[in-house]
Amino acid sequence: MNTLLITGTDTEAGKTVLTTALAAYWQKYYPQRSWGIMKPIQSGIGDRELYQKLFSLDQSAEEITPLYFAAPLAPPIAAAKENRRVDLAVVWQAFSQLRSQRDFVLVEALGGLGSPITDELTVADLAGDWHLPTVLVVPVRLGAIAQAVANVALARQSKVNLKGIVLNCVQPRTDEEIADWTPADLIQSLTHTPVLGCLPYLDNLEDLDKLAQVASNLDWERLS
């Protein structure tokens, strides 16, 4: 597996946290190996700029994000405002080229699994069609169990190669809150998908050592 797609249950689940943590981990523990990062489609300023700031990627902005739209809206809506269309052929070409050149590629999806990419396709459709090994980020909050179940069902419907679930504390959470709101055993039982770990609340996404440490605590053996 030389590619991993990071998606989530919704737009604020913590995809960027996990993607940044995995990038920091790869950079720290595998400095001799080449890696790349992609945000295939971005609407508005955000993740691409963060990745350029934090990492020496040896990638142009266009290689990180082949399709960029100014308005922070769903891609088909943002594209329409610019009289453009979402050209997935451009994304696929850039992704294929990067994957052929690097030992490992992290791909951060937009929005959640059900977020629209075009008028006909969602993130789940793209993950399934492109056969991308995928990790689902589930935020630690009330309702998380139902979100996990619904999103795993969508992943199965779209034939997504879902490797596991990562829980993410979007706010400071106590151990009791984590256990009550996102009980790993229950989520695994309901979804038949391994929970790879839980990311603590991180208020500084620029602390690469901390990010690498957090990523190292994930259950990598179950991911492989």
Side-chain angles (χ1 to χ4, degrees), residues 99-138:
R99 185 169 59 174
S100 70
Q101 296 171 342
R102 308 297 168 104
D103 295 321
F104 186 64
V105 177
L106 284 167
V107 182
E108 184 189 351
L110 57 99
L113 266 180
S115 294
I117 291 179
T118 69
D119 291 337
E120 296 85 20
L121 299 175
T122 66
V123 170
D125 293 322
L126 189 72
D129 291 346
W130 289 8
H131 306 291
L132 300 176
T134 301
V135 168
L136 175 70
V137 181
V138 177

Side-chain angles (χ1 to χ4, degrees), residues 38-158:
M38 281 196 78
K39 178 81 173 185
I41 306 172
Q42 181 170 309
S43 299
I45 295 174
D47 298 323
R48 178 180 68 180
E49 291 75 17
L50 176 66
Y51 298 143
Q52 287 178 308
K53 179 180 180 181
L54 293 183
F55 304 108
S56 300
L57 294 172
D58 190 27
Q59 293 175 247
S60 68
E62 292 72 25
E63 288 172 325
I64 299 171
T65 304
L67 280 184
Y68 176 84
F69 303 105
L73 300 168
I77 300 172
K81 286 184 176 294
E82 300 179 22
N83 295 315
R84 297 168 59 195
R85 66 184 184 90
V86 179
D87 188 350
L88 292 179
V90 172
V91 178
W92 173 255
Q93 182 178 6
F95 168 66
S96 299
Q97 183 173 351
L98 182 63
R99 185 169 59 174
S100 70
Q101 296 171 342
R102 308 297 168 104
D103 295 321
F104 186 64
V105 177
L106 284 167
V107 182
E108 184 189 351
L110 57 99
L113 266 180
S115 294
I117 291 179
T118 69
D119 291 337
E120 296 85 20
L121 299 175
T122 66
V123 170
D125 293 322
L126 189 72
D129 291 346
W130 289 8
H131 306 291
L132 300 176
T134 301
V135 168
L136 175 70
V137 181
V138 177
V140 177
R141 58 191 178 208
L142 283 172
I145 298 172
Q147 281 193 315
V149 171
N151 276 268
V152 171
L154 175 59
R156 290 211 172 94
Q157 176 184 310
S158 300

Side-chain angles (χ1 to χ4, degrees), residues 2 21 36 60 81 102 143 177 185 204 212:
N2 78 328
S60 68
K81 286 184 176 294
R102 308 297 168 104
E177 287 172 330
D185 289 345
N204 180 12

